[in-house]
Amino acid sequence: MKRKSFLQKAGIAAAALTVLPGSELFANANETKVKAIMIGVGLRGQNHLDLLLRRADVDLVGICDIDDRMLATSKSMITKAGKKMPQIFTGDVYAWKKMLELKNIDCVIISTPWEWHKEMIVSSIEAGIKYIGTEVMLGITLQDHWDVVRAAEKYNAHVCMLENVCYRRDVMAVLNMVRQNVFGELVHLQGGYQHDLREVKFNNGIEAYGHGCEFGDKGWSEARWRTHHSVHRNGDLYPTHGIGPIAHYININRGNRFLNICSFSSKARGLHDYVVKKCGPEHSSAKVSFKLGDVATTSIGCANGETILLQHDTNLPRPYSLGFRVQGTDGLWMDVNKGIHIEGQSKPHRWDDAQTWFDKYDHPLWKRWSKDAAGSGHGGMDFYVIHMFIESVKRKQAPQMDVYDAAAWSAITPLSESSIEMGNQTIEFPDFTAGKWMYRKPVFALNDEF
Ligand code: NAD
């Protein structure tokens, strides 16, 4: 719905996002501004653009995109915010390489289709940029993920995957509860991406999501590219919104790690069924064979003995839910029924309304910044991930979500594809930290700063 309303209101979006220069966040006359560039200013990139424009500590010097409509909306957002127009790079799919030649760039934010991420990240690192904030997924193949890790290590660069769900208010309250041992020792966790994307995968962009059955060249926004992944791939194509929070709960790469993984995928019916019902059996998209099973289920075992269950479910009618479950020796949270049960505190065998627990354990970051986060994307959580990234750049610190986190979370996709391809075999999970997970300490959201 958020995306839909964003698109529907595209014409007035810039006006709605206007922030007076005098009311900018983080204004400090003595501070050097972070010099930032952006590759990809589509719908997601525009969320990030909005947040960068609100900040006085960011000097946006270049943006690159190949879509004139996306560029036009972005330019109008910049003008309305009263900011200096950055250099615009466009014209061909490698125009961003020219932008990487700009001098003294502190950071780049990449919000392009998945298949571009690895190349754009590695090239940015090789161009000397030390902070890379990339939208979810480092790349496509396992080799892509290794390539990014190796490049970051070789050049001492920081690659931060901008996984915003880690900052959802309830997710962070649960993190607070986990750290205060409310659930006891964690045993089992669940999450996933359960989001009816049919209107996103088929979208002609003429009006809003929900129009048409087109994709590829005739599609718009994610229908231009994301749908191809549903044609050619089968696995958990989008694990990071579910696994990011879970990884923080059980300190993955920081005292714990993923050990092995096994995936199953159901039959693929939903996308074809949608096209036939909406546009008829003669529509060109009805002739396409989709490889992506409608519900992919992945199990992961961890070094400290926890099990994780992830589900990817984007092709069937359903309300949105990331399906979180965090279960320990003293109780559990399940987000689908908004319930928490803690033995000795909740009535036996009864759920408490989770909100009463969330109010009590609201994370210090939300207590401090919720007014600034208000109005930013996805219920405010988008503010926090950009805030953490930009503060890390300013302080020349490692971001709290680093390249090892990004690689481990992203690797679930190619590993799940391989498991399915090999008849649901259990596969060893690579250790991108090369043993350092045993010594690394948790750093994510330890206080109320960022
Ligand atoms: P989009 O299609 O709306 O935007 C992608 C943009 O990249 C388009 O404007 C396109 O023209 C541009 N692009 C493509 N190839 C390019 C190239 N070679 N050079 C420059 N620009 C290029 O898609 P989106 O929804 O903005 O998704 C972008 C990324 O953000 C994806 O990784 C997606 O998974 C992620 N995303 C994350 C969230 C979240 O909540 N974290 C939400 C939506 C999307």
Side-chain angles (χ1 to χ4, degrees), residues 24 28 34 53 79 109 140 185 193-194 196 239 292 344 371 411 431 449:
E24 285 172 325
N28 179 349
V34 167
L53 292 173
T79 306
I109 291 182
I140 304 290
E185 182 176 350
Y193 190 61
Q194 306 179 134
D196 177 359
L292 178 65
K371 282 206 184 74
D431 172 15
E449 264 189 86

Side-chain angles (χ1 to χ4, degrees), residues 3 43-44 65 93 114 117 135 164 221-222 225 238:
R3 289 155 179 254
L43 295 194
R44 184 63 184 149
D65 203 292
V93 294
W114 306 329
H117 290 183
E135 254 314 326
N164 46 344
S221 184
E222 295 195 1
W225 55 273
Y238 212 55

Side-chain angles (χ1 to χ4, degrees), residues 1-10 43 47 193-200 207-210 318-321 377-379:
M1 284 309 292
K2 189 80 198 159
R3 289 155 179 254
K4 188 170 180 173
S5 63
F6 189 92
L7 180 57
Q8 282 170 331
K9 290 172 186 154
L43 295 194
N47 286 156
Y193 190 61
Q194 306 179 134
H195 188 184
D196 177 359
L197 287 183
R198 294 171 304 162
E199 293 187 352
V200 170
E207 209 178 318
Y209 287 120
R318 61 157 302 136
Y320 179 91
S321 162
H378 297 103

